[in-house]
Amino acid sequence: MKHLLKLLDCTPEEIKEILDLADQLKADRKRGIEKPLLSGKTLGMIFQKSSTRTRVSFETGMYQLGGHALFLSSRDLQIGRGEPVEDTARVLSRYLDGIMIRTFAQKEVEDLAAIGSIPVINGLTDFCHPCQVLADLMTLREHMGNLNGKKAVFIGDGNNMANSLIVGCLKMGMRFSAACPVGYQPDPIVLDFAKGYGAAFQLTSDPMEAAKGADVVFTDVWASMGQEDERALREKVFAGIYQVNAEMMSVTNPGCMVQHCLPAHRGEEITADVFEAHANEIFDEAENRLHAQKAVLVKLLA
Ligand code: CP
Ligand code: NVA
C-alpha cells in the first residue's frame, strides 16, 4: 500500500492490518507507551475545506509518533492562486515525507499521488472519506467484536461518507442497506462495486425499511461542505424522512449502535435524544480518528 486515496483501492487484508495496528497503538497510548516510529518525518496537510477532527488528529498523531505536521491552508499556498497541482506535488515531494489533503475533486488527490513521489492520504473529498471510515470500522470492532454478517445502515445523502461506508463495511464482511432519496444516491462507481456483493447490499429510498434489523445506523449531514447553496432545496427533500430518531431506532436490533462522523445537525439528520443516547459511541468514533490515522501514517511513512 503506497497511498490511501480511497477504500476501493484497499484489500480487506490491508484494512484489517490498519485496524489491528490502530488497536495496538491505542492500547499502547492508554498505557503511556509512545514509540517514535516517525521520528524525523514531516507530513504536509493541505486543507481546501474546514476541519476540526481531521486537522487536530493528524497533527497530534504525527507529534505522538515523533514526527512533525505542517498545516497548509489552500488560502495561503500558491495553489490557491492557481499554481498547478502538478508543480505543487513535485515541490512538496522534495521537502516532505507524506501529504494529507482535504479537497473537492477526487481527481486532484489522485493526480497528486500520480505526479508526486511521496505517500498521499485522502483527508476527505466530495467522493469519499476513507480515514473517517477506518475509524468507524475500528469503533464497530471495539463495540461489536466480529463484524461478519452484521447489518450496517446509512440514512441520508449518498455522499462521501455513504460511498466510503458502503465500500468499507462490505469489504469487512458486513451487510449494508443505504436509504437515500432518489437523485441523492451514492456514486455509480460505488453502486457498481456493491453489486458484486449481491443480497448483502440494498439501496432503497425508504429509511424505515432499511433500518429494520440494523446493528449500526450511520447518518451524515444533508448538505456537505461545498453544497451550502443547496441547503434550502436539500432540506425540503430530506426533512421529516431522512432522520435517525427514536421511531427508527425501535425497528433496529437490540443494542444497535449509532455513528456520526460529525459535525452533527441535531433536529435534521439526527434527533438530539438519539444523539445523546449514543454519545459514547459517537465520541469513541471521533477519538478513533487519532488511532486509525496513526496506523495509516505508520504503514505509509515509517
Ligand atoms: N469527521 C470529520 O472529518 O471532521 P472534520 O471535518 O472536523 O475534520
Ligand atoms: N459529508 C460531510 C462530512 C464531513 C466530515 C462533508 O463532506 O461536509
Side-chain angles (χ1 to χ4, degrees), residues 42-45 70 72 91-99 118-119:
T42 305
L43 178 78
M45 310 187 297
L70 287 170
L72 304 168
V91 171
L92 294 182
S93 293
R94 306 270 179 134
Y95 303 140
L96 301 168
D97 299 289
I99 298 174
I118 54 174

Side-chain angles (χ1 to χ4, degrees), residues 49 102 124 129 159-161 220-221 223-225 261-263:
K49 290 176 176 172
R102 165 168 288 196
L124 179 147
H129 198 359
N159 61 14
N160 42 16
M161 277 305 299
D220 188 15
V221 291
S224 285
M225 290 182 278
C261 62
L262 304 175

